[in-house]
């Protein structure tokens, strides 16, 4: 595992964007695995800036996203489809046909998970997968469990996740209870993995995930077994492991 320390969130975002842009430049028709949430926003902003300067071309790039809420239409501003278009897809020259997320409106979970898994295989797999890191070590919606989830699956969201999401919706009834997510096996099949982490509140889980035992109780710990993982984190997030 390669670890790059950044001074702050902005520098972390720039370093991560450098790695992603290098992948696009080296292989213009690459398959990027993308993540949502607050952490990658700065990385996407940097990629957009370089695109606008003429330094990046996304015309041949294909993307597959980690996850999507089940039951949310793409028009909902809390859907990950909406997020990706807002922060990246609508701001660069990527072909919309080449952007893929799980279909949150597919009611048949087994059918949708099989479709998404087959799609990733048909693309030849993911060249570079971007990941964030949850406070409990989750990656995607793979929460702490007794075993590592294998492939794309439908997960029941934990109560604390539902509770945390209530502020984004007009009523509690609108908050999604399930989500589709790539499984650990799907993530581990990516040729390269890039993890980005920011903030002192993540320092303890960084230590557990990357310097502790490999256990499904800390889902991200499985990344220690991958042969090409890069961790880009700011000083605060690395404060428990690098002085």
């Amino acid at each position: 595992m390669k670890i790059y320390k950044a001074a702050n969130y902005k520098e972390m975002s720039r370093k991560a964007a450098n790695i992603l842009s290098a992948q696009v430049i080296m292989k213009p028709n690459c398959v990027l695995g993308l993540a949502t949430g607050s952490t990658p926003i700065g990385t996407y902003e940097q990629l957009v800036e370089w695109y606008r300067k003429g330094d990046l071309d996304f015309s041949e790039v294909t993307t597959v996203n980690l996850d999507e809420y089940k039951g949310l239409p793409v028009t909902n501003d809390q859907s990950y489809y909406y997020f990706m278009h807002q922060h990246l897809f609508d701001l660069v020259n990527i072909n919309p046909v080449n952007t893929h997320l799980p279909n949150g409106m597919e009611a048949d979970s087994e059918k949708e998970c099989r479709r998404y898994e087959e799609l990733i295989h048909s693309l030849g797999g993911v060249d570079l997968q971007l990941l964030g890191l949850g406070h409990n070590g989750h990656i995607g919606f793979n929460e702490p469990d007794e075993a590592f989830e294998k492939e794309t699956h439908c997960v029941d969201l934990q109560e604390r996740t539902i509770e945390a999401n209530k502020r984004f919706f007009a009523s509690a009834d609108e908050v999604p209870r399930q989500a589709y997510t790539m499984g650990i096996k799907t993530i581990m099949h990516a040729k390269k993995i890039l993890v980005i982490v920011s903030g002192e509140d993540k320092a303890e889980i960084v230590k557990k995930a990357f310097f502790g035992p490999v256990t499904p109780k800390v889902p991200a710990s499985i990344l220690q077994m991958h042969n090409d993982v890069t961790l880009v984190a700011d000083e605060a997030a690395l404060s428990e492991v690098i002085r």
Side-chain angles (χ1 to χ4, degrees):
M1 178 183 293
K2 298 183 285 289
I3 299 176
Y4 294 109
K5 183 171 75 169
N8 49 42
Y9 175 80
K10 186 173 183 179
E11 188 180 316
M12 178 212 74
S13 299
R14 187 179 178 86
K15 286 179 182 291
N18 263 321
I19 293 168
L20 283 162
S21 60
Q23 176 65 58
V24 173
I25 291 165
M26 288 188 298
K27 186 180 179 184
N29 64 340
C30 65
V31 178
L32 298 179
L34 299 179
T36 53
S38 57
T39 307
I41 289 175
T43 300
Y44 295 148
E45 286 176 349
Q46 183 65 75
L47 291 175
V48 170
E49 183 182 323
W50 287 335
Y51 161 73
R52 286 175 174 162
K53 286 181 177 178
D55 296 332
L56 275 178
D57 177 13
F58 290 88
S59 61
E60 295 181 57
V61 172
T62 297
T63 65
V64 287
N65 262 73
L66 271 174
D67 40 30
E68 178 61 282
Y69 288 118
K70 184 177 180 181
L72 280 193
V74 297
T75 52
N76 189 298
D77 63 5
Q78 294 305 312
S79 74
Y80 290 157
Y81 176 99
Y82 191 100
F83 175 100
M84 290 307 307
H85 280 266
Q86 180 185 21
H87 293 288
L88 184 65
F89 297 160
D90 290 350
L91 306 175
V92 297
N93 67 331
I94 195 165
N95 186 339
V97 174
N98 293 334
T99 62
H100 305 281
L101 293 91
N103 177 11
M105 295 307 290
E106 174 56 68
D108 187 333
S109 298
E110 192 174 314
K111 176 184 174 184
E112 178 55 21
C113 293
R114 185 170 60 249
R115 179 198 72 84
Y116 202 63
E117 197 67 30
E118 288 173 356
L119 167 71
I120 295 168
H121 284 294
S122 74
L123 295 171
V126 175
D127 290 302
L128 176 59
Q129 176 67 57
L130 177 66
L131 297 174
L133 178 66
H135 287 98
N136 60 1
H138 74 248
I139 45 178
F141 274 115
N142 295 284
E143 299 282 356
D145 209 337
E146 297 303 318
F148 289 111
E149 283 284 3
K150 293 185 177 179
E151 298 184 328
T152 301
H153 58 286
C154 182
V155 61
D156 293 325
L157 300 182
Q158 297 191 351
E159 276 305 316
R160 67 171 175 269
T161 302
I162 294 169
E163 195 65 35
N165 286 344
K166 281 183 181 177
R167 68 187 189 277
F168 300 122
F169 293 87
S171 73
D173 293 338
E174 294 179 31
V175 183
R177 262 56 182 178
Q178 293 181 308
Y180 290 121
T181 185
M182 287 186 196
I184 296 293
K185 183 178 178 181
T186 314
I187 292 169
M188 290 292 284
H189 274 161
K191 298 175 184 74
K192 291 182 274 189
I193 294 174
L194 169 61
V195 189
I196 54 175
V197 193
S198 174
E200 192 175 355
D201 57 322
K202 296 284 182 75
E204 187 178 343
I205 195 60
V206 164
K207 185 177 182 179
K208 285 181 180 177
F210 302 115
F211 298 89
V214 175
T215 167
K217 298 289 187 186
V218 183
S221 65
I222 192 69
L223 298 176
Q224 295 179 45
M225 309 299 288
H226 195 281
N227 63 5
D228 194 343
V229 174
T230 301
L231 170 64
V232 179
D234 59 18
E235 289 179 359
L238 290 171
S239 59
E240 290 286 324
V241 291
I242 298 177
R243 301 296 178 185

